[in-house]
Amino acid sequence: MKRELALQLYREQMISFANAHRMADMGKVEFHHLLGERQIPRQYDVEDYEKDMENLAQWKKEQ
């Protein structure tokens, strides 16, 4: 029941991926696979991409 609720709230963009996988009581990878099985697209926009690129650049500087 928790998984279904988490999937529905995530699908409707009411909660984040992190909150959804925690609500479903699943790991990140496991929840990601569940999204794929249910054909629910991952919420990832330009802002997320830019933040990831900033984090990657910072990580590379630290190496």
Side-chain angles (χ1 to χ4, degrees):
M1 184 81 133
K2 292 192 307 186
R3 284 184 184 183
E4 295 304 318
L5 178 59
L7 286 169
Q8 187 63 28
L9 292 174
Y10 182 79
R11 181 185 292 122
E12 294 177 15
Q13 299 182 1
M14 296 179 74
I15 60 175
S16 67
F17 179 84
N19 287 331
H21 86 77
R22 285 187 209 117
M23 178 184 281
D25 199 23
M26 299 173 77
K28 293 176 186 178
V29 173
E30 187 181 17
F31 190 72
H32 184 72
H33 285 288
L34 181 60
L35 291 175
E37 289 173 6
R38 301 290 180 90
Q39 298 181 350
I40 299 171
R42 181 90 192 266
Q43 300 165 11
Y44 191 80
D45 59 17
V46 173
E47 184 178 322
D48 293 328
Y49 173 78
E50 290 172 349
K51 192 171 198 173
D52 284 346
M53 292 296 100
E54 289 173 15
N55 290 335
L56 180 60
Q58 182 63 34
W59 178 79
K60 285 182 177 181
K61 284 165 86 177
E62 295 172 1
Q63 297 304 311

